Amino acid sequence: MFKCDACGLDDLPTQKMLDLHKERYCSALAVKQVAAPPVKETGFQITQRVGRLEVPKSDPDYFIEDEVAAEIDRVIALTEQTPQNLAVIGPKGTGKTALSLEIAARRGSPTYLANAYSQRSSDEWFGREMVNAEVGTYYEPSLFVEAVETEGATVILNDFALMQNKSVQNGLNDLLDDRVREAWIDPLYHATGKPLRVAAGVLFIATWNEGSEYTGNIKLSANILDRFANRIYMPYPPADTQVEVLSRKTGIDAGNAVRLVKFAESLRQTDEPIDISMRGLLQAAKKMVMGAHIRDALYFTVISGLTTDLQTKALAALEGQYTKVEKEQVATRTPQWRPVSVR
Ligand SMILES: Nc1ncnc2c1ncn2[C@@H]1O[C@H](COP(=O)(O)OP(=O)(O)OP(=O)(O)O)[C@@H](O)[C@H]1O
Ligand SMILES: [Mg+2]
């Protein structure tokens, strides 16, 4: 075996590989960062940055059930002993991602939110090898790798069941395994000869929609789902809490908030439930505050996203929430199409 005198890597089988290692991969011979990659916007409010990671800000209007709050504190305490995995599972738009960010905010920890659906390439997850004329090849860590290696970090695997990339899944499988907690990642191994190791105090939180583990291109293995020993099921908050959330966050009056929530609940609680997300309701409430008719507020947010069959069902359910005046207004409307120039 040949040994690199610069970095100490000692399992290079031939002189030729040693030369190649020194020329292209040796971390000690490479200038680590040529230019820091730009910080990726993750879209949540932050209190501070730790390196390229962000500490999320708590949302004072986020409502949480007492038992869930107590469970979160237990998981946080367990994470101080050894890295933990927590799954947050539930229907569409119940506040799963928001809960994950609240947990990170409660810990005050540097956080990385990886969107499993949009983040597809291995490079985005595990970093990449870069070539620079002066230093040759070197390893550029991804934000995910930076988070995994940061003590006390929270790593959110958002919409985890929509993970597309099988090789990324394999790497995550090892990082999430209590007994392993390290993964052999090609670009990192080439450059440093070391695996990626989960730092102390790291909390992985995966969110996924119930049932949607079948909608990704690659089904998540039972194996990987089984890695999550801590699980929180998130239903929609109770109706009165939803009303309170809508009023606090949008300023909508209580009467209108109640009507929006009643509409949503009437669809969620049928034989074939239709998921109406909190996001959709909040947006409809904002539009009512802007003066929109309740029909338009819901039609251009929640209802238009449904299949035509379900749209008919939703509009029928909405009838039950109209005031007499609103009902007349809808009944007497005739659609008018005009050129934009006359508006
Ligand atoms: N309990 C709650 N208290 C206050 N706001 C909430 C609550 N639940 C959800 N919201 C708000 O509703 C919106 C949608 O929540 P979020 O995106 O977290 O849902 P989700 O379950 O992750 O959705 P999806 O299934 O589409 O990923 C956010 O603006 C969030 O702040
Ligand atoms: Mg989400």
Side-chain angles (χ1 to χ4, degrees), residues 93 95-98 158-159 207 209 279:
K96 300 179 293 296
T97 304
N158 205 32
D159 291 328
T207 72
N209 285 5
R279 189 180 308 111

Side-chain angles (χ1 to χ4, degrees), residues 274-297:
I274 305 173
D275 289 339
I276 305 293
S277 75
M278 285 298 289
R279 189 180 308 111
L281 280 188
L282 280 163
Q283 196 67 2
K286 275 187 210 156
K287 292 187 177 175
M288 284 189 83
V289 171
M290 291 168 80
H293 190 286
I294 188 170
R295 186 250 178 219
D296 299 333

Side-chain angles (χ1 to χ4, degrees), residues 214-237:
Y214 304 107
T215 62
N217 282 351
I218 301 161
K219 198 177 144 196
L220 273 186
S221 63
N223 230 356
I224 203 165
L225 298 182
D226 209 43
R227 300 267 189 276
F228 293 85
N230 307 292
R231 297 173 174 216
I232 295 175
Y233 183 84
M234 287 280 295
Y236 293 103

Side-chain angles (χ1 to χ4, degrees), residues 59-65 88-102 158-159 207-210 234-238 241-242 244-246 249 277-282 286:
D59 170 2
D61 296 326
Y62 187 80
F63 281 64
I64 187 169
E65 197 190 348
V88 180
I89 310 152
K92 191 180 81 181
T94 52
K96 300 179 293 296
T97 304
L99 178 71
S100 308
L101 290 168
E102 275 313 309
N158 205 32
D159 291 328
T207 72
W208 69 82
N209 285 5
E210 63 182 348
M234 287 280 295
Y236 293 103
T241 306
Q242 291 177 53
E244 181 95 20
V245 168
L246 295 186
K249 290 196 170 178
S277 75
M278 285 298 289
R279 189 180 308 111
L281 280 188
L282 280 163
K286 275 187 210 156

Side-chain angles (χ1 to χ4, degrees), residues 63-260:
F63 281 64
I64 187 169
E65 197 190 348
D66 290 346
E67 281 70 24
V68 172
E71 171 59 17
I72 285 167
D73 285 344
R74 283 189 286 269
V75 172
I76 290 176
L78 286 170
T79 309
E80 276 159 26
Q81 296 162 22
T82 159
Q84 296 289 314
N85 308 331
L86 167 67
V88 180
I89 310 152
K92 191 180 81 181
T94 52
K96 300 179 293 296
T97 304
L99 178 71
S100 308
L101 290 168
E102 275 313 309
I103 297 170
R106 185 160 179 81
R107 301 179 77 209
S109 78
T111 297
Y112 179 60
L113 187 147
N115 278 310
Y117 183 67
S118 55
Q119 194 164 310
R120 291 178 187 212
S121 73
S122 271
D123 293 2
E124 284 174 278
W125 285 95
F126 293 130
R128 56 188 172 162
E129 287 181 79
M130 300 287 283
V131 184
N132 175 279
E134 275 168 37
V135 299
T137 308
Y138 64 98
Y139 171 67
E140 184 183 89
S142 60
L143 281 172
F144 173 76
V145 165
E146 193 172 319
V148 168
E149 290 181 327
T150 299
E151 214 165 288
T154 302
V155 182
I156 303 172
L157 308 165
N158 205 32
D159 291 328
F160 191 50
L162 300 181
M163 169 71 67
Q164 305 280 310
N165 186 322
K166 195 80 197 164
S167 71
V168 173
Q169 271 196 37
N170 291 337
L172 291 175
N173 224 354
D174 291 340
L175 292 178
L176 293 168
D177 188 328
D178 278 340
R179 297 154 304 179
V180 183
R181 291 288 183 201
E182 62 178 39
W184 293 87
I185 307 304
D186 272 347
L188 181 68
Y189 176 60
H190 278 156
T192 67
K194 293 187 190 128
L196 169 61
R197 283 203 184 94
V198 177
V202 168
L203 172 61
F204 288 96
I205 307 177
T207 72
W208 69 82
N209 285 5
E210 63 182 348
S212 74
E213 56 267 60
Y214 304 107
T215 62
N217 282 351
I218 301 161
K219 198 177 144 196
L220 273 186
S221 63
N223 230 356
I224 203 165
L225 298 182
D226 209 43
R227 300 267 189 276
F228 293 85
N230 307 292
R231 297 173 174 216
I232 295 175
Y233 183 84
M234 287 280 295
Y236 293 103
D240 54 350
T241 306
Q242 291 177 53
V243 169
E244 181 95 20
V245 168
L246 295 186
S247 332
R248 284 192 187 220
K249 290 196 170 178
T250 69
I252 193 171
D253 64 83
N256 282 332
V258 166
R259 293 198 295 148
L260 289 176

Side-chain angles (χ1 to χ4, degrees), residues 35-41 49 52 128 140 143:
V39 170
K40 194 169 144 197
E41 287 305 323
R49 285 187 199 283
R52 290 185 296 157
R128 56 188 172 162
E140 184 183 89
L143 281 172

